[in-house]
Every structure is written in C-alpha cells, then in structure tokens.
C-alpha cells in the first residue's frame, strides 16, 4: 500500500514546527534591512544617549552611516575586510556597524573588558584590519594591535591624540559612496565570538541574510515601532543586544535609549526620565527589579514589556518581578549566537503562558528534541537536546570546518548542546544550560579556558571548573584544584593568579581543594559529578 507519510518521517517523526506562517529569506544587506525605511522615520529620534541627552534622528543616523562608509572606503576598507568594534554602548556604535556593512566589511564585536591578549587572539583569528575603539580603552586596543599585527588603523569614536575620530571622518566629504556587490546569502555581516558549547572562542559567521531574516522572523513578536522607547543597557557587542536593542528597534522606527553599563540608579532614572516602554534584561537585572528597595523610589509606569534572556530565569523570580512592576508577565526568549540569535520568543499578546517558558518557535524555524542516551527523536513533554533548523542557522565557525560539522549535521540541524522539552502547545522549556558553559551575568565563560590557565600554574596538579550559584543568584566560576604534592597553595593565591590573567567577568570566584578531579576513562572531566556534589553539600 502506498504510504502518504513524507520521506524521512522514520528519522524525524517529531519535528516541531512554528505556528506562524513561513517567511521568505530576506536577501538584503544588513544596513538596508535595518535602515531601508529610515526616510519614513526621518525626524523621529533613533538613538538617545541616556546620560547626556545627545540624540540622533533617523535621517541623521542614515546620513552619518553613509558619510562614515565613504570615508572608511576612501581609507581602504574593502569588501570582505573585517573591522573590530571595541566599545561600550553608545549612539555611535550602530553608526559604525552600518557604515562597515555599506563597505561590504564584516564587524567583529569585541568585549569592552577583554584583556590585550584576549583581544589580540580575536584580531588574529578574524584577520581584522581595523579597530574602532574609544579613548578609555585605547591602551588595550593598542596592546592587542601590537600583539596581533595586521592592523592598518585604530580609530576612536570620541577623541584621542594621534588617532582619527569617527566624528571627523563622518564630517568629511568622500565621493562616491561605496557600492560593493554584496551577496547576502554568503557574505558576512557580523562575526561575533562565541565559545559554542565548549572550548575556546570561535568566530561565528553570520551572513547578511541570516541576520536580516532573523529580524523578519522576530517582527511578529517584537512588536515595537514608532513611539516605543527601548532601553539599551545590555551590551550591543553581544548578539542579543545587537539584535534586540539595536537592529530590531531601529528597523521598526522605535527609539533606542542607550546606557553604557548597568548601574541600578542610572537604569531606573533612565526608565523614569525617558518614559521607557520596553526593557530587555538578563536575570541579574530582573533580580534587582524584584528585590531592590531603590526600585520603589522611581516611576516605572511607562514600562509595557520586560523581556529577559541570555541565561535561565527562575519562574518564581520572574513572577515576583512582574507583580512588583504591574506587568502581566516577564517575557522570555531563547537563542544562541550561532542562531543569529533567536529561535523562540514569548509573544507579547499570548495571554496565559506556562511559567518559565522561553516561548514558541519563530516563523520558518523547526525544532527537534533528541534523547541524550539514544539519539532518538522525542515527543512533547520529554527532555532531550534541542536541535534547530532554519534560515537563522550560522554559516559556520570561521576557519573551523570540523567544529562546524560537529555542530551542524548533514541535514542542516544545529545541535545546541542545550537540554529542553516542548509541551503539546509548542512552548519550550530549557531545562539545563549549554552543557558546560558558565554564564556569569550573561557573559559566557568557558570552563576549559580557565582549566587550561590553572593547569599552567606550577603548584597545580589538576583542576576542573564548574558554575555554581552565589548568594545573589548569579552563576559564578568555581575551581576544584588538586595541589602538587608538597605545595602550600591557598585559595586566595589561586583566585589572584587567575584574576591577573583574564577579563574581570571570567575570574574564578571560589576554590575548593580536592585529592583528585573525577575523570572518565577518556580523560574527560566529569563535571556532572562535581555539580552533583555541589548541590548535595550545604557548604558555601
């Protein structure tokens, strides 16, 4: 008898599909995908500096990005080049991104707190030819450029002796404006660095099409537009901030109010003063909003939506925060850098959402949940590894085909390394984090990086690092250290040793000495055993 079931159904009997209609891939360069309608919003404020009040309207944002592109092109920035952007949030950060895109160059975003050595590794790996930084970070940028080599120029967004300023470049007249032939499906728009599920940071190749299409996928759920004011406190350099706080609202004609860092008083002042309608947060901000006494001194009544992502959020904490702010719920979303980044969002008008869910599938996105034991597909309600397929899947890791192939299979499914379950209505719950990664205040910390550093210490025989929860609910790196026989190493010495060699967010914050690190016969550290021991002990 002829079967009516589709081919391959025996492989993937449980592919979960989006309830939204499919969308066509967006074949546009990033700058057009975002600023293509800038003229329609010409006099609306696009970007506002929360601290100084400096405002760029849409016409000015568009104009500055064109002028800067022409100047960068005149100075030699070409299609296929990489520009490293090393800056806290500012109103000029998007200008630099869209100017690079107009030149056909990719932007690799650098953590403002990176050390010279970390920055240099990213420069060398990405083959960046230019750095745009700010005066306050110039020493690190110069140090990194010296170590990496190949940097044609270091520019600054503000002012610094001996360096050309973005402000001056955008004021110059260069004709004609660059008009590179951009192939959105293959050319890179953004090259953020991610540790993936394990290992050292890798360049995530995101094309113009994958970024632009993900913005279109988000359009039905990130329903902001003219009149909405979005507070950008999470960093633009991270793909979550780049998408939710920069590209998406600017594509929609909303106003982005920019803060360079999270300071609770400044944050609350900005919401009150600028009548912020939407806040995108990470769990520590939700915690402060739920519990900090200072919150009561501010008028936060303009807030309509609070969305939390970047790390798992406790459902009880979310409910307490929503109650305090008079919001129906704290919305959540799910994604990863390798997914441009979004796959799931809780829609704003969804009514009663199950507590703790990260949302439902975005348009044109497919999901499978596969058993960690058997690799078989699981149905609703069962927990397994989250696999994603859709137009937002990255092109791959730069220069690392083997690591790309280990993550994206022959059928195009990206294996996230996250564990979750989907209910019968399509709501995803992420049960456990990416297998090993520690998320300190939303920043990724790879245990393997810290372990390698610890093992380099002459008095350390073996070491393992896992994430543990501190008193404030943040995940922090904890090191389990085996001393070399006869060594008298202290916990404080271990903490200081690591602190001198990494960016502040990567610091080891707790140390426990062990007789030996539990390892599998293959030599792989059994971090699971360390975590289980951590949960069962009541010791700090």
């Amino acid at each position: 008898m002829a079967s009516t079931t589709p081919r391959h159904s025996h492989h993937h009997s449980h592919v979960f599909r989006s309830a939204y209609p499919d969308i066509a891939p967006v074949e546009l360069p990033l700058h057009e995908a975002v600023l293509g309608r800038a003229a329609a919003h010409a006099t609306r404020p696009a970007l506002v500096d929360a601290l100084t009040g400096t405002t760029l309207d849409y016409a000015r944002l568009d104009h500055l990005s064109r002028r800067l592109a022409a100047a960068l092109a005149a100075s030699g920035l070409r299609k296929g080049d990489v520009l490293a952007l090393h800056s806290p949030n500012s109103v000029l950060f998007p200008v630099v991104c869209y100017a690079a895109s107009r030149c056909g160059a990719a932007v690799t975003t650098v953590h403002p707190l990176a050390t010279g050595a970390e920055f240099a590794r990213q420069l060398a790996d990405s083959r960046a030819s230019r750095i745009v930084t700010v005066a306050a970070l110039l020493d690190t940028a110069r140090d990194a450029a010296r170590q990496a080599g190949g940097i044609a120029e270091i520019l600054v967004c503000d002012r610094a002796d001996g360096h050309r300023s973005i402000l001056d470049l955008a004021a110059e007249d260069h004709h004609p404006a660059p008009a590179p032939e951009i192939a959105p499906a293959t050319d890179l728009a953004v090259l953020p660095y991610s540790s993936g599920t394990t290992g050292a940071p890798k360049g995530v190749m995101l094309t113009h099409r994958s970024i632009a299409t993900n913005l279109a996928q988000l359009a039905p759920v990130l329903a902001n537009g003219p009149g909405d004011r979005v507070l950008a406190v999470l960093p633009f350099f991270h793909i979550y901030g780049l998408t939710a706080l920069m590209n998406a609202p600017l594509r929609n004609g909303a106003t982005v109010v920019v803060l360079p860092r999270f300071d609770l008083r400044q944050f609350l002042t900005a919401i009150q003063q600028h009548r912020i309608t939407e806040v995108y947060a990470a769990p520590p901000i939700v915690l402060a909003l739920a519990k900090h006494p200072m919150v009561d001194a501010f008028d936060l009544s303009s807030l309509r939506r609070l969305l939390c992502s970047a790390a798992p959020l406790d459902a009880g904490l979310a409910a307490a925060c929503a109650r305090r702010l008079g919001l129906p719920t704290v919305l959540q979303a799910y994604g990863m850098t390798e997914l441009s980044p979004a796959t799931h969002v809780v829609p704003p008008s969804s009514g009663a959402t199950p507590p703790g869910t990260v949302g439902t599938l975005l348009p044109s996105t497919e999901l499978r949940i596969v058993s960690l034991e058997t690799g078989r597909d699981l149905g609703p309600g069962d927990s397994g590894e989250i696999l994603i397929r859709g137009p937002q899947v990255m092109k791959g890791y730069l220069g690392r085909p083997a690591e790309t192939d280990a993550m994206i299979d022959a059928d195009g499914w990206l294996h996230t390394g996250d564990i979750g379950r989907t209910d019968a209505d399509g709501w995803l719950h992420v049960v456990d984090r990416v297998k090993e990664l520690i998320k300190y205040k939303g920043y990724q910390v790879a245990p393997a990086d810290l372990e390698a550093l610890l093992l380099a210490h002459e008095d350390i025989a073996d070491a393992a690092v896992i994430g543990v929860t501190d008193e404030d609910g943040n995940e922090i790196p904890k090191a389990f250290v085996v001393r070399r026989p006869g060594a008298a190493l202290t916990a404080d010495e271990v903490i200081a040793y690591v602190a001198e060699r990494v960016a502040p967010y990567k610091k080891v914050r707790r140390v426990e000495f062990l007789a030996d690190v539990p390892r599998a016969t293959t030599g792989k550290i059994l971090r699971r055993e360390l975590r289980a021991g951590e949960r069962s002990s009541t010791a700090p």
Side-chain angles (χ1 to χ4, degrees), residues 120-145:
R121 276 198 294 277
Q122 185 170 335
L123 289 173
D125 190 75
S126 65
R127 301 200 176 88
S129 61
R130 275 169 185 68
I131 295 170
V132 176
T133 186
V134 292
L137 301 176
L138 198 48
D139 285 350
T140 307
R142 283 180 180 145
D143 179 32

Side-chain angles (χ1 to χ4, degrees), residues 53-67:
T54 300
T55 301
L56 297 183
D57 64 19
Y58 274 88
R60 184 107 181 101
L61 167 62
D62 189 56
H63 179 70
L64 282 174
S65 73
R66 289 171 191 273
R67 295 286 287 252

Side-chain angles (χ1 to χ4, degrees), residues 133-355:
T133 186
V134 292
L137 301 176
L138 198 48
D139 285 350
T140 307
R142 283 180 180 145
D143 179 32
R146 255 198 312 276
Q147 290 184 52
I151 300 298
E153 187 173 9
I154 301 175
L155 299 150
V156 291
C157 287
D158 42 8
R159 304 271 179 212
D161 282 349
H163 293 269
R164 293 199 298 168
S165 166
I166 289 304
L167 300 159
D168 296 337
L169 284 184
E172 295 172 5
D173 243 329
H174 293 278
H175 292 292
E181 282 292 317
I182 293 174
T186 50
D187 290 341
L188 304 190
V190 193
L191 186 65
Y193 272 66
S194 164
S195 304
T197 49
T198 54
K202 299 176 274 291
V204 177
M205 296 190 287
L206 300 180
T207 62
H208 291 270
R209 180 169 77 180
S210 72
I211 295 263
T213 304
N214 197 232
L215 293 172
Q217 291 173 299
L218 285 163
V221 283
L222 291 193
N224 52 33
D228 277 312
R229 285 172 300 283
V230 178
L231 186 55
V233 67
L234 297 177
F236 286 148
F237 78 79
H238 187 278
I239 192 68
Y240 172 25
L242 198 77
T243 296
L245 299 175
M246 188 179 101
N247 292 330
L250 294 174
R251 177 183 183 271
N252 297 338
T255 297
V256 178
V257 179
V258 179
L259 275 171
R261 72 193 62 77
F262 178 68
D263 167 274
L264 185 59
R265 186 175 294 283
Q266 281 181 356
F267 170 79
L268 296 169
T269 303
I271 296 173
Q272 176 176 289
Q273 193 177 341
H274 294 278
R275 305 301 294 155
I276 296 296
T277 60
E278 289 186 52
V279 166
Y280 292 81
I285 296 179
V286 177
L287 182 76
L289 286 170
K291 299 192 169 165
H292 202 287
M294 196 193 293
V295 174
D296 293 326
F298 291 84
D299 172 8
L300 308 181
S301 61
S302 58
L303 266 187
R304 290 209 304 275
R305 276 158 49 98
L306 173 61
L307 185 138
C308 183
S309 194
L313 178 68
D314 177 70
L317 177 61
C321 179
R323 265 197 313 278
R324 191 173 189 196
L325 296 177
L327 294 169
T329 181
V330 174
L331 305 170
Q332 288 203 68
Y334 173 73
M336 59 196 303
T337 310
E338 290 80 355
L339 293 164
S340 302
T343 68
H344 289 72
V345 178
V346 175
S349 55
S350 54
T353 58

